[in-house]
């Protein structure tokens, strides 16, 4: 549907203070583009031109002082304020579904706050504004020879503040798996206008961490404005290899051994045979382990050789080891190359799938190794049954996105025929069935996609209730009117 054909309700906030007029927009495009995230159900509704929950205004602050002024305006008008990040939420984290409960909603987009403000080359850290997207911050770090090396699949559009607020998973499959591992300190503006800024330290045992409280807070405690993050020299040594297995569980045993070996490969992603076939990565009918090592300082041939021997001892058949160099660019595309290309293209292909009538979505979790085999079997069975029930056909596959010494993070992909006009209802049924299976079998409702509004029913069952009470008390203190992203994580008192 053309943009000018999209109908929106009139903005309810008419009186904008003069100092804020350059920061607040009621432009049609701005309101449409801040109405939905990037979940399958969001893409479907976007194709239909259904934007039933638009914000009344979109704010574009240029400094922490602007953020403070915007939040003060929201408090005065008693309107909800939703930190937007890059808008890549796949769990309903940025959609103003509470629109009818408030006299107005303001979506806060920090894209004008996207600078690397300071680099401490001695400590290898950088102070970066929260609105910087992945490419923008990497371009600025590159000139000093550094990289954050955090590459979520949404890297192109998601922001540093969004990564911190949702505890985003990134490039490394082991060791530094989440943005948590890269955060040194965080600054935010609370709903009361107070500055929340932690002391910059390599580590501390001084009580509960203020940074850890903001990590994963999804905007309910404050708007993150900047952070000090750990950076590193750009890698000079890289090796990758695809290892084939006759069965997914054989590959899982190899991955468990690798995760407990202390080798800490940068890439250690296991694809089942269907996932490998779908992406065109590995040999037909085989599970594929995508294995990689990298370092800014030392060659990585020895750890790669040790990892391959571990994989061989579990039945793995390695392909060619590929490194970084001119010879690789001239060689035939490897299994790892094919997987990487499919991985990077996946978010863009999904939009095409919607247009073609294909239901395409994912759900992810984490589970300990002792429970993995039965967990995998149950979740695959329950998801497949539900997809077949609502779609007639099912194609459900699994891969590991991250692995730990005590367990993997399985990531499930669903492909099925979509029913025109009923795609959202199909998705709702499949999502509920998969989420029920995950929680009932002891997994987490999300490993790196955040909670948002879509995961709330199962997050409420996962978290300890005393913790929920403590979180409500913290929110009541820093956001007494309950205006910051209401409905995410908890219901404000």
């Amino acid at each position: 549907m053309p943009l000018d054909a999209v109908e929106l309700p009139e903005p309810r906030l008419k009186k904008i203070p003069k100092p804020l007029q350059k920061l607040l927009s009621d432009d049609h495009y701005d309101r449409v583009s801040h109405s939905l995230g990037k979940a399958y159900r969001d893409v479907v509704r976007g194709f239909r031109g259904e934007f039933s929950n638009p914000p009344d205004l979109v704010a574009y602050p240029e400094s922490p002082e602007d953020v403070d002024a915007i939040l003060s305006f929201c408090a005065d008008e008693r309107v909800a304020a939703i930190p937007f990040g890059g808008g890549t939420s796949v769990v309903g984290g940025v959609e103003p579904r509470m629109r009818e409960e408030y006299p107005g909603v303001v979506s806060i987009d920090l894209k004008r706050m996207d600078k690397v403000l300071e680099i401490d080359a001695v400590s290898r850290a950088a102070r970066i504004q929260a609105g910087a997207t992945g490419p923008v911050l990497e371009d600025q770090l590159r000139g000093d020879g550094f990289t954050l090396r955090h590459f979520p699949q949404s890297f192109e559009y998601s922001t540093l503040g969004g990564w911190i607020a949702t505890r985003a998973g990134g490039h490394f499959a082991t060791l530094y798996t989440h943005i948590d591992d890269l955060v040194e300190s965080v600054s935010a503006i609370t709903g009361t206008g107070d500055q929340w800024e932690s002391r910059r330290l390599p580590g501390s045992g001084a009580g509960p961490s203020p940074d850890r409280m903001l990590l994963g807070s999804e905007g309910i405690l404050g708007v993150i404005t900047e952070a000090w993050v750990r950076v590193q020299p750009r890698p000079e040594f890289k090796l990758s290899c695809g290892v084939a297995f006759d069965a997914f569980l054989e590959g899982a045993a190899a991955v468990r051994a690798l995760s407990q070996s202390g080798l800490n490969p940068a890439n250690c992603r296991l694809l089942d045979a269907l996932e490998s076939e779908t992406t065109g990565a590995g040999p037909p009918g085989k599970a594929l382990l995508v294995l990689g090592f990298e370092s800014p300082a030392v060659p990585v041939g020895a750890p790669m050789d040790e990892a391959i021997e571990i994989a061989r001892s579990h039945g793995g058949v390695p392909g060619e080891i590929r490194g970084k160099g001119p010879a690789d660019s001239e060689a035939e595309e490897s299994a790892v190359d094919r997987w990487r290309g499919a991985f990077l293209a996946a978010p863009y292909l999904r939009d095409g799938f919607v247009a073609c009538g294909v239901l395409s979505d994912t759900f992810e979790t984490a589970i300990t190794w002792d429970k993995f085999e039965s967990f995998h079997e149950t979740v695959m069975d329950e998801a497949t049954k539900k997809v077949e029930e609502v779609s007639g056909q099912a194609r459900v596959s699994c891969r590991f996105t991250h692995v730990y010494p005590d367990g993997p993070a399985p990531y499930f992909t669903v492909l099925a025929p979509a029913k025109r006009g009923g795609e959202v209802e199909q998705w709702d049924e499949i999502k509920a069935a998969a989420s029920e299976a995950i929680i009932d079998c002891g997994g987490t409702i999300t490993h790196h996609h955040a909670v948002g509004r879509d995961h709330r029913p199962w997050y409420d069952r996962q978290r300890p209730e005393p913790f929920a009470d403590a979180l409500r008390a913290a929110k009541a203190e820093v956001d007494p009117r309950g205006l910051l992203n209401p409905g995410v994580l908890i219901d404000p008192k």
Side-chain angles (χ1 to χ4, degrees):
M1 177 180 289
L3 176 64
D4 56 9
V6 174
E7 296 183 3
L8 299 179
E10 284 293 312
R12 294 170 293 175
L13 300 170
K14 302 293 187 181
K15 297 179 180 179
I16 302 174
K18 190 170 183 179
L20 296 182
Q21 289 178 1
K22 67 172 185 174
L23 305 176
L24 293 168
S25 169
D26 62 1
D27 176 76
H28 187 73
Y29 170 79
D30 289 338
R31 295 180 67 211
V32 168
S33 61
H34 290 74
S35 296
L36 299 170
K38 294 296 185 288
Y40 171 79
R41 70 195 310 274
D42 299 331
V43 176
V44 169
R45 290 181 293 161
F47 266 88
R48 295 177 183 170
E50 296 177 2
F51 299 90
S52 55
N53 296 311
D56 295 278
L57 297 172
V58 178
Y60 295 104
E62 299 176 3
S63 67
E65 291 75 21
D66 288 346
V67 174
D68 185 15
I70 290 163
L71 290 179
S72 294
F73 167 74
C74 292
D76 291 341
E77 300 296 325
R78 296 186 177 274
V79 302
I82 302 179
F84 186 72
T88 59
S89 171
V90 294
V91 292
V94 298
E95 181 183 349
R97 295 183 195 169
M98 77 302 295
R99 177 180 168 84
E100 300 306 317
E101 301 167 27
Y102 290 81
V105 178
V106 176
S107 180
I108 303 177
D109 189 329
L110 269 65
K111 70 178 184 180
R112 296 179 185 173
M113 297 172 61
D114 65 352
K115 303 293 188 297
V116 174
L117 300 172
E118 190 175 350
I119 293 177
D120 175 357
V122 175
S123 307
R124 291 204 323 206
R127 182 164 66 98
I128 304 175
Q129 290 182 308
T133 63
V136 167
L137 66 84
E138 286 291 340
D139 284 346
Q140 294 178 73
L141 292 172
R142 186 176 292 111
D144 289 273
F146 288 111
T147 174
L148 182 59
R149 209 95 186 112
H150 181 79
F151 297 124
Q153 202 170 21
S154 59
F155 172 78
E156 186 176 0
Y157 297 106
S158 54
T159 64
L160 175 63
W163 298 343
I164 294 170
T166 61
R167 298 183 68 188
H171 166 75
F172 291 106
T174 67
L175 198 60
Y176 303 119
T177 60
H178 282 68
I179 193 66
D180 309 33
D181 304 307
L182 305 177
V183 168
E184 202 175 48
S185 72
V186 185
S187 296
I189 306 296
T190 71
T192 55
D194 294 320
Q195 178 81 19
W196 180 320
E197 184 172 5
S198 61
R199 182 168 294 191
R200 185 185 160 220
L201 295 166
S204 173
S209 166
D211 297 328
R212 291 299 182 262
M213 197 163 188
L214 285 177
L215 280 155
S217 61
E218 302 192 26
I220 71 167
L221 301 177
V223 178
I224 295 168
T225 56
E226 64 182 55
W228 275 95
V229 290
R230 299 176 177 97
V231 296
Q232 58 184 298
R234 306 185 72 79
E236 293 297 324
F237 300 93
K238 291 183 181 182
L239 289 176
S240 63
C241 182
V243 184
F245 291 87
D246 288 336
F248 184 62
L249 292 181
E250 288 181 4
V255 169
R256 179 170 69 85
L258 284 165
S259 70
Q260 295 172 350
S261 68
L263 291 171
N264 295 321
N267 210 349
C268 190
R269 287 174 165 84
L270 179 68
L271 289 62
D272 70 11
L274 184 56
E275 180 88 10
S276 180
E277 176 190 326
T278 303
T279 58
K286 305 284 187 179
L288 178 71
L289 171 60
V290 178
L291 192 59
F293 286 86
E294 62 180 51
S295 171
V298 297
V300 291
M304 174 61 86
D305 290 343
E306 292 181 48
I308 287 177
E309 284 309 307
I310 291 174
R312 282 187 197 274
S313 71
H314 289 82
V317 178
E320 180 186 3
I321 299 175
R322 300 284 292 273
K324 186 177 124 178
D328 293 318
S329 61
E330 299 170 7
E332 184 179 346
E333 190 178 46
S334 69
V336 175
D337 296 329
R338 290 191 293 273
W339 173 80
R340 184 184 295 113
F343 173 79
L344 294 174
Y348 306 95
L349 291 174
R350 188 189 59 176
D351 293 5
F353 284 155
V354 171
C356 295
V358 177
L359 189 154
S360 169
D361 206 17
T362 62
F363 56 96
E364 38 77 56
T365 183
I367 193 74
T368 52
W369 285 116
D370 63 309
K371 297 177 182 175
F372 169 69
E373 188 171 340
S374 61
F375 177 88
H376 173 258
E377 181 180 4
T378 300
V379 173
M380 286 289 289
D381 286 349
E382 292 298 316
T384 301
K385 282 193 298 186
K386 179 54 69 173
V387 178
E388 288 177 342
E389 178 187 323
V390 302
S391 300
Q393 300 177 46
R395 191 178 178 93
V396 182
S397 60
C398 180
R399 71 175 186 265
F400 293 166
T401 60
H402 304 79
V403 291
Y404 306 89
D406 49 348
Y411 190 102
F412 300 86
T413 299
V414 174
L415 292 172
K419 295 178 181 177
R420 290 297 191 189
E423 296 97 335
V424 172
E425 292 74 18
Q426 280 180 288
W427 181 90
D428 286 341
E429 287 193 50
I430 294 168
K431 179 71 172 178
S435 299
E436 287 290 327
I438 284 171
I439 289 296
D440 288 346
C441 292
T444 174
I445 191 58
T446 178
H447 173 261
H448 57 268
H449 279 172
V451 174
R453 294 170 180 84
D454 294 340
H455 284 158
R456 265 297 304 277
W458 300 280
Y459 172 69
D460 287 355
R461 287 163 53 185
Q462 176 178 331
R463 71 182 175 206
E465 193 54 36
F467 173 76
D469 291 338
L471 189 56
R472 291 187 193 99
K475 182 170 177 62
E477 184 66 27
V478 298
D479 182 24
R481 292 188 173 97
L483 303 178
L484 286 169
N485 217 3
V488 169
L489 296 180
I490 56 171
D491 294 321
K493 290 184 178 179

